[in-house]
Amino acid sequence: MASEFKKKMFWRAVVAEFLAMSLFIFISIGSALGFSFPVVGNKTSTRSQDNVKVSLAFGLSIATMAQSVGHISGAHLNPAVTLGLLLSCQISIFKALMYIIAQCLGAVVATAILSGVTSSLPNNLLGLNALSDGINAGQGLGIEIIATLQLVLCVLATTDRRRNDVSGSAPLAIGLSVALGHLLAIDYTGCGINPARSFGSALIANNFENHWIFWVGPIIGGASAALIYDFILAPRSSDLTDRIKVWTSGQVEEYDLEGDDMNSRVEMKPK
């Protein structure tokens, strides 16, 4: 932990997670709130929410941010993704904790700014995730687990450094996976699949009803994806000693160059 703490690239990565998360939340939730404004020329009616529009906004914003800061932080932008990469022994425990804190802070800051921008909206819940009518807690939890599992599985597969067959864009593939999760889950839970995103809306809207679902579901989904990929689909050869070394000190190749060198390895770019 001490070696990571002293590296400039480490702190740049944490700041990158915060900034990218802030932009991602502002753009994606902003697109979801936009449907509530009155239709021009007919102030008595409002647009119905377009799930495809919202899903694409979330997916494309993730892809854009991943392309923008992936070479700096790996562009996790989701505690469930960070947990998956931690269990997959690609980052240290300290780095995972700092990333999750940065992600949550970014979500809170962006949602607070968005609250001011959309202050004229009646009953504005700022993209709060909630169970739809007829969906109980167990069903909502299942939706969150499955939607997150496919996302983290996509992240692990597209950024696996052992692969040499990934010819497309990893950020785009991950963005499409995020969009896919939203196309599935919006009508059931509003689609969390990202605890930090759910936390920002819940905190600023001061509504934590069933909020545990949007932490427990993605955590189970992300952990399951890491275990399935690492031990069933594409087992890794590293032993327990190697795993513990990564969890405590990070991967050596991440910081094998000087802190000012931008060519250090990061997770988002496939190798």
Side-chain angles (χ1 to χ4, degrees):
M1 185 182 81
S3 61
E4 283 192 310
F5 188 85
K6 298 176 182 178
K7 296 293 184 179
K8 291 181 181 178
M9 272 299 296
F10 175 84
W11 293 108
R12 286 175 184 163
V14 173
V15 171
E17 283 290 303
F18 169 79
L19 291 176
M21 189 70 179
S22 299
L23 289 171
F24 160 60
I25 293 298
F26 187 88
I27 293 169
S28 55
I29 295 183
S31 71
L33 295 178
F35 81 94
S36 297
F37 286 100
V39 176
V40 176
N42 183 0
K43 296 183 179 180
T44 61
S45 64
T46 59
R47 298 183 178 92
S48 60
Q49 185 175 26
D50 186 341
N51 286 357
V52 174
K53 167 200 167 186
V54 175
S55 298
L56 286 176
F58 273 86
L60 292 176
S61 57
I62 279 288
T64 301
M65 291 301 103
Q67 192 69 53
S68 300
V69 303
H71 62 294
I72 301 171
S73 71
H76 296 188
L77 308 182
N78 186 336
V81 171
T82 299
L83 175 62
L85 292 171
L86 173 65
L87 294 178
S88 185
C89 289
Q90 298 189 43
I91 58 174
S92 68
I93 295 174
F94 178 62
K95 187 174 186 179
L97 289 174
M98 292 304 300
Y99 269 25
I100 291 172
I101 292 171
Q103 291 157 6
C104 289
L105 286 176
V108 169
V109 169
T111 308
I113 296 173
L114 196 58
S115 176
V117 173
T118 61
S119 59
S120 61
L121 287 179
N123 303 317
N124 185 8
L125 294 179
L126 298 167
L128 180 73
N129 290 124
L131 300 178
S132 299
D133 293 338
I135 301 297
N136 62 39
Q139 293 167 333
L141 182 65
I143 289 291
E144 288 294 311
I145 290 173
I146 294 171
T148 308
L149 189 151
Q150 64 85 27
L151 168 60
V152 178
L153 192 64
C154 177
V155 172
L156 293 172
T158 55
T159 62
D160 191 340
R161 291 172 296 149
R162 297 170 296 172
R163 295 181 62 180
N164 54 17
D165 62 327
V166 180
S167 58
S169 168
L172 180 58
I174 294 167
L176 290 174
S177 181
V178 170
L180 179 63
H182 280 76
L183 288 171
L184 164 67
I186 282 180
D187 288 330
Y188 299 95
T189 63
C191 191
I193 71 174
N194 187 328
R197 168 261 189 272
S198 300
F199 176 73
S201 295
L203 182 65
I204 301 302
N206 193 28
N207 186 336
F208 289 90
E209 183 178 1
N210 292 317
H211 183 64
W212 65 272
I213 293 172
F214 304 103
W215 280 89
V216 175
I219 286 173
I220 294 176
S224 299
L227 295 176
I228 290 170
Y229 189 79
D230 268 13
F231 293 97
I232 299 176
L233 300 180
R236 296 179 184 273
S237 59
S238 56
D239 57 26
L240 181 60
T241 302
D242 294 331
R243 289 176 174 270
I244 292 175
K245 184 180 295 185
V246 173
W247 284 335
T248 55
S249 303
Q251 292 196 356
V252 175
E253 60 266 32
E254 281 189 296
Y255 305 108
D256 58 355
L257 301 176
E258 292 297 324
D260 291 331
D261 196 316
M262 298 298 289
N263 293 320
S264 298
R265 189 201 60 81
V266 294
E267 295 82 14
M268 184 58 70
K269 187 176 180 181
K271 297 293 183 179

